[in-house]
Each structure stands twice: as C-alpha cells, then as structure tokens.
C-alpha cells in the first residue's frame, strides 16, 4: 500500500469459509515472496497457511489466481483414495522404500499431509518452503520446491 493509503484490497480468500482455493478456513500465517520475475517485472506471491484445510495456498498477486502450494491432497499417492485432508493416513504404502516414494518407511503421518499447519517460510528466491505442521508436531522443509 502507498503511504497514507486508506483503501485495502483482498489478498486471499474472502469468499466465505470453504475448501476452494478462493476460500479459507482459519488462515493463521502469511509469507510474501517477492523473488519471482517475469519479463523483468517482479511478481508478488502471497503464501497463506490455511489451518483448518490443512494446506498452504499460494496467491499470485498480479492475477489474483490461487493454487495449493503444499498440503491438502497435493501429492497424495494413487493408492490412497479418497484423500483424507489432515491427521493420520492409512493404508500404508505397499512399497514404502522404493526410490521414487515421497514417504519412505511408511512415516505416519506422511510428509505430504498436514494436520493444522500454523506457519510458513519461503526462502530467498522461492526455492525452499518450510511449513510448521502443528498438530503433527513437526516442521517440514521441501528443498528445491519451485
């Protein structure tokens, strides 16, 4: 906002409580990533921790488009159907130690599901993302995220 401004804009959510990407359920934390550029123009991206939807939403501020950045059912393996959004997950991976698995050794809860996240940090350059996964009692970092 410009100094002295008295007008605000909706940056995320604002369409009632819900699970669509234009809705939030208990936003608790934000992070503004100013590192993206397209054609020499800086693109602001707002990351919003959507606690009760168990996810992090990324909102591109120039287009106001939102997408799930982490959590929810973003990286759910095909053997888990339907996806459960938060908490413990079953059934276990039929081959957890395969080289291409996101969740080695059947860690439960799996690393790709949150339960009540409350914080987010995006590194300089938007390369790594760290999420405070409160109800799972852990902090997760994805390297080379972008």
């Amino acid at each position: 906002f410009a100094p002295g401004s008295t007008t605000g804009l909706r940056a995320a959510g604002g369409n009632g409580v819900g699970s669509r990407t234009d809705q939030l359920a208990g936003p608790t934390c934000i992070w503004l990533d100013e590192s993206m550029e397209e054609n020499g123009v800086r693109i602001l991206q707002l990351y919003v921790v959507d606690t009760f939807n168990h996810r992090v939403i990324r909102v591109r501020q120039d287009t106001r488009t939102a997408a799930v950045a982490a959590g929810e059912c973003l990286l759910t393996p095909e053997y888990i159907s339907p996806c459960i959004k938060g908490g413990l997950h079953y059934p276990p991976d039929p081959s957890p130690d395969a080289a291409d698995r996101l969740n080695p050794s059947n860690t439960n809860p799996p690393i790709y599901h949150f339960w009540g996240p409350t914080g987010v940090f995006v590194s300089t350059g938007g390369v790594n993302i760290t999420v405070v996964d409160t109800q799972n009692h852990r902090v997760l970092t994805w390297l080379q995220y972008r």
Side-chain angles (χ1 to χ4, degrees), residues 13 37 66 72 76 83 87 99 110 118 120 136:
E37 281 193 17
E72 196 177 56
T76 302
C83 172
T118 57
V120 65
N136 282 325

Side-chain angles (χ1 to χ4, degrees), residues 1-10:
F1 297 104
S5 175
T6 59
T7 304
L9 299 173
R10 178 175 39 99

Side-chain angles (χ1 to χ4, degrees), residues 75-95:
L75 295 174
T76 302
E78 58 280 351
Y79 65 84
I80 297 180
S81 181
C83 172
I84 304 166
K85 297 180 183 179
L88 299 179
H89 280 255
Y90 296 98
D93 188 336
S95 48

Side-chain angles (χ1 to χ4, degrees), residues 24-31 47-57 116-120 131-134:
L24 300 170
T28 54
C29 180
I30 62 168
W31 185 267
Y47 288 79
V48 180
V49 176
D50 189 9
T51 300
F52 300 120
N53 280 323
H54 313 289
R55 65 187 182 180
V56 176
I57 293 288
T118 57
V120 65
V131 178
V132 178
D133 189 14
T134 303

